[in-house]
Amino acid sequence: MKQKMFFVKISTILLLSSALFGLFVPKTAHAEDIVDITRAAGYTVNGIYRPKASIIIDATNGNVLWEDNPDLPWSPASTSKMMTVYLAFEAMEQGKFNLDTTITATETHAKISRIHALSNNKIVAGVDYPIRELLSMIIVPSSNVATVMLANLISNNDEAAFVQMMNDKCAELGMSNSMFYNCSGAQISSFQGYYAPIGIDPNADNQSSARDLSIMTYNMLKKYPEILEYTKSPVVTVMSGTPYAETFETYNHSLEGAMYSFQGMDGLKTGSSPTANFNYIGTAKRGDTSLIEVILGAGNWADQAGEHERHPFGNAILERAFSTYEYKKLLSKGSNQIDGKEISLAQDFYGVVPKNSTPKFTLENNQLLLNNGLAQVSEKIPAQSVEYTEKQPSQGSNNNKKETTKKENTTMTDSELPIIEYVVSAMVAILGGIFMVLTPMTRRPAHGRRARHSTGMRPLFLLGLILLASGITLGVLSWQMGTWFPFQF
């Protein structure tokens, strides 16, 4: 009987300890399976189309709202073309050309446009194609020849140099899992010799990840939001009013008005190949909340239904993100009370927080920190900053106040977590557990023939139970309220 009671107590303590330490695990961006979320959203999907990787980030601050294998190396396929578009807008910003600049198509361009294994549009040798038209050709029908034409303009026809520009941009943006071998996402060998960057493996696939593609998109839209003008329409006509006009329907079936129309979807690009299966980058905005999502590796190339099946998954997790989080003003310009201190903000402070929640802030190391529990998608994308002035009473006078102006840098750090509080809670709980294990159940003093069957608990065992319960309670409070311990080390 004693042995049985001992094992009962051990099992109880282990279960309670597991629950306690489970509170200390950092919050993840998701806790549910993407297939279950998609079905719960009302879509009928087969698990065989499950994406290999996905991510959703806030397009304003770069907070990660959802992630599933975000760093899995994967072929981006034609979503690679958005890096070429990025570099084109950067070149225009530098004054190298503009949207009205034209490229005269060559016979080589015309031959590339006739390679049926590649996604393309008709290009006629001798015709002048404005940059604005090439951008639409690249983004909507995913034209490989238009991508090559634009890349060659940017690099002065040095194809290998342009690929190096792509990889240099990856390094600049912090896309650490990315490597480009071509400008469009199609292997060099598929161009039948008409596009052949010198010194680059013709059979190599571009490589990236869901995280890296979201970083690229975040930076691109921050600098060149006008790109969305080319991505938001489900149907576009290029070279309108000329003999070379063509009309295309988007492959982004989540755009408003398309097959899987999603409210607020305004871009961005799809991609597919035998090695990548079906990918897409989506951007959407509702109110002040703008989100970026990346879906990689949905379905299988042998089953072309994956082109459509990737979108229910993307729509479902994007809807979940919009339903859970919002970007809004958290603190107004001027005087604010934070942690018992009076600070004055030079401007309104915005951020992403769970809906119907009270924002939590911490003043620490001369920083105003937003404790929203969300990580930044990249170390190179810091949280928003704002200047503030802290007012402190000077010694010997209640009327004179010393003002110190500080620059906020709200990059999330480990110091935001209530580590000391967690340690204290754990120590209290563990101490209680030790008391409970080492203190055996006992009998009350015998008073009569049947009294020896009446049991009770020794005071030390009862104290252990109280300490264990107290430790768990403190852990819950730390998780909900953040720091509360009066001393910091």
Side-chain angles (χ1 to χ4, degrees):
M1 185 64 181
K2 289 183 178 180
Q3 186 178 20
K4 180 179 180 181
M5 286 302 302
F6 177 78
F7 283 116
V8 168
K9 288 189 289 183
I10 288 292
S11 300
T12 301
I13 290 169
L14 288 175
L15 288 171
L16 291 173
S17 298
S18 298
L20 173 64
F21 286 103
L23 297 174
F24 305 155
V25 177
K27 297 177 184 178
T28 59
H30 83 283
E32 295 182 63
D33 183 79
I34 191 171
V35 175
D36 293 337
I37 291 175
T38 305
R39 289 171 178 165
Y43 296 100
T44 301
V45 292
N46 191 320
I48 64 173
Y49 297 107
R50 176 201 303 271
K52 301 297 187 299
S54 57
I55 195 171
I56 296 177
I57 68 170
D58 161 47
T60 305
N61 286 346
N63 290 146
V64 178
L65 309 184
W66 162 277
E67 58 181 10
D68 183 20
N69 293 327
D71 299 308
L72 177 72
W74 200 257
S75 169
S78 285
T79 61
S80 303
K81 293 180 172 71
M82 293 312 298
M83 180 60 85
T84 298
V85 171
Y86 190 139
L87 294 174
F89 274 87
E90 188 172 75
M92 287 188 281
E93 181 184 29
Q94 296 167 355
K96 295 181 179 179
F97 52 86
N98 58 52
L99 290 171
D100 295 319
T101 300
T102 60
I103 299 176
T104 302
T106 66
E107 186 59 38
T108 295
H109 297 148
K111 289 179 180 179
I112 293 175
S113 74
R114 292 194 289 268
I115 299 176
H116 297 297
L118 298 174
S119 55
N120 264 317
N121 68 297
K122 295 178 182 178
I123 292 292
V124 179
V127 173
D128 292 333
Y129 290 90
I131 299 303
R132 66 175 73 253
E133 300 298 327
L134 291 174
L135 288 171
S136 292
M137 296 172 191
I138 292 169
I139 292 171
V140 182
S142 200
S143 172
N144 279 272
V145 62
T147 308
V148 170
M149 292 169 68
L150 187 57
N152 286 346
L153 173 66
I154 297 169
S155 65
N156 294 319
N157 294 310
D158 189 335
E159 295 167 337
F162 183 80
V163 173
Q164 185 59 52
M165 291 173 64
M166 299 175 82
N167 289 316
D168 289 344
K169 182 58 65 174
C170 288
E172 176 188 328
L173 300 181
M175 298 169 62
S176 57
N177 284 328
S178 296
M179 177 64 69
F180 286 90
Y181 297 91
N182 57 74
C183 67
S184 71
Q187 294 178 353
I188 294 171
S189 58
S190 64
F191 284 86
Q192 300 178 5
Y194 297 118
Y195 167 72
I198 297 173
I200 298 179
D201 182 355
N203 297 310
D205 255 336
N206 291 344
Q207 178 179 294
S208 192
S209 67
R211 182 187 304 278
D212 281 6
L213 292 174
S214 73
I215 292 171
M216 177 193 71
T217 305
Y218 173 92
N219 284 279
M220 181 167 56
L221 296 185
K222 278 289 188 181
K223 294 186 68 176
Y224 313 114
E226 60 269 30
I227 287 174
L228 294 178
E229 294 299 317
Y230 296 88
T231 68
K232 65 182 182 181
S233 300
V235 179
V236 299
T237 298
V238 299
M239 301 296 286
S240 181
T242 75
Y244 314 105
E246 294 179 274
T247 299
F248 301 99
E249 293 186 8
T250 183
Y251 292 111
N252 183 356
H253 302 298
S254 290
L255 284 175
E256 290 196 72
M259 180 184 301
Y260 288 99
S261 180
F262 184 88
Q263 180 188 351
M265 181 71 69
D266 51 14
L268 187 70
K269 184 75 182 75
T270 64
S272 59
S273 74
T275 55
N277 300 326
F278 297 91
N279 308 331
Y280 89 92
I281 304 172
T283 60
K285 183 175 183 180
R286 292 182 182 177
D288 294 328
T289 304
S290 297
L291 304 182
I292 295 167
E293 77 168 340
V294 180
I295 299 289
L296 295 181
N300 187 290
W301 179 253
D303 179 1
Q304 290 292 300
E307 176 190 328
H308 300 101
E309 295 298 324
R310 61 190 165 191
H311 292 280
F313 292 106
N315 286 3
I317 59 173
L318 197 57
E319 185 65 51
R320 173 65 63 89
F322 273 117
S323 299
T324 305
Y325 301 99
E326 62 180 336
Y327 177 82
K328 67 177 184 178
K329 183 170 71 174
L330 304 176
L331 295 173
S332 297
K333 175 181 178 180
S335 180
N336 291 271
Q337 292 289 332
I338 305 294
D339 288 349
K341 297 180 180 180
E342 183 180 355
I343 65 170
S344 180
L345 298 181
Q347 61 192 60
D348 294 337
F349 181 61
Y350 290 79
V352 172
V353 292
K355 288 187 175 181
N356 302 316
S357 68
T358 301
K360 300 175 183 178
F361 305 94
T362 302
L363 292 177
E364 186 176 292
N365 297 328
N366 298 333
Q367 298 176 3
L368 171 68
L369 304 175
L370 168 62
N371 301 324
N372 63 2
L374 301 172
Q376 294 295 115
V377 68
S378 167
E379 293 180 355
K380 293 195 174 186
I381 302 177
Q384 283 184 309
S385 62
V386 64
E387 288 189 355
Y388 72 88
T389 300
E390 180 181 337
K391 298 180 180 180
Q392 298 178 341
S394 60
Q395 290 184 344
S397 173
N398 292 328
N399 296 323
N400 296 325
K401 295 185 178 180
K402 180 180 178 181
E403 296 187 358
T404 305
T405 302
K406 304 172 183 179
K407 177 75 176 180
E408 177 204 23
N409 178 4
T410 58
T411 303
M412 302 290 284
T413 64
D414 290 340
S415 60
E416 295 178 1
L417 297 173
I419 300 298
I420 296 176
E421 288 73 8
Y422 284 165
V423 171
V424 171
S425 304
M427 290 177 62
V428 172
I430 291 171
L431 183 60
I434 292 173
F435 285 169
M436 293 175 67
V437 170
L438 299 181
T439 307
M441 298 290 289
T442 186
R443 299 181 177 88
R444 294 192 182 99
H447 295 289
R449 183 178 301 175
R450 301 180 59 85
R452 61 194 181 102
H453 297 291
S454 177
T455 62
M457 289 186 290
R458 286 184 176 178
L460 197 58
F461 183 86
L462 182 59
L463 176 60
L465 184 61
I466 294 173
L467 287 174
L468 181 61
S470 298
I472 294 175
T473 301
L474 290 174
V476 172
L477 290 175
S478 300
W479 182 58
Q480 295 292 330
M481 301 175 58
T483 58
W484 50 264
F485 199 72
F487 305 104
Q488 298 297 321
F489 300 97

